[in-house]
Amino acid sequence: MLIAFLVGMMIGRVFDPPRLRIEDAEAWEQGLQLWFNREPQAQAEHVDGALVYRYEDAYGRVREGQLKLPLGLVNWRVERDGRDLLLVLVSPRPLDGEWRGAQEDGRWRARLTLRPK
């Protein structure tokens, strides 16, 4: 029985999707472009005037930067929150965002278009 349990656990691991990983983040003309190892699922929320996207059970390097957009300067950072990663966007004006994603070269590219709320 123990051997059947262990074999079942190993087979289950083979079919589990890999943990979400943010591989790169870069500016583009309308916002921010992120590269992932697989399709991301993000939860958006407004916290203390910032637009925050939460990626559950994800990992990646902590990083930050600044975007120069027609709506003004936007500071962004990727930070840890337990097992989750947060993408925090701060601007003098309240922000709203729209994601567009596509698979490209075995990775997932997600473009976040930012606009005033």
Side-chain angles (χ1 to χ4, degrees):
M1 196 159 139
L2 179 61
I3 293 173
F5 173 74
L6 292 174
V7 169
M9 291 289 292
M10 287 188 288
I11 291 172
R13 287 278 186 194
V14 169
F15 293 108
D16 275 349
R19 192 170 166 198
L20 182 65
R21 181 179 71 243
I22 295 178
E23 297 175 344
D24 199 10
E26 54 199 28
W28 74 291
E29 66 265 4
Q30 296 178 10
L32 191 63
Q33 177 172 274
L34 298 171
W35 291 91
F36 296 89
N37 63 325
R38 64 177 175 88
E39 184 177 4
Q41 298 295 322
Q43 299 172 3
E45 54 192 54
H46 293 282
V47 178
D48 298 328
L51 178 59
V52 179
Y53 289 93
R54 176 179 297 274
Y55 299 95
E56 293 182 1
D57 195 27
Y59 66 99
R61 189 169 49 92
V62 173
R63 60 191 94 198
E64 61 186 39
Q66 189 174 61
L67 304 171
K68 294 178 183 170
L69 302 174
L71 63 97
L73 291 177
V74 177
N75 293 316
W76 64 270
R77 71 180 173 275
V78 175
E79 61 185 41
R80 287 222 137 288
D81 184 31
R83 289 186 55 101
D84 301 344
L85 278 180
L86 302 177
L87 170 61
V88 181
L89 299 137
V90 180
S91 173
R93 298 166 56 183
L95 293 173
D96 210 2
E98 180 183 341
W99 283 105
R100 300 260 166 129
Q103 192 163 5
E104 191 174 299
D105 298 329
R107 300 188 306 168
W108 189 266
R109 183 192 70 217
R111 284 187 170 170
L112 174 60
T113 304
L114 296 170
R115 62 182 177 276
K117 187 172 180 183

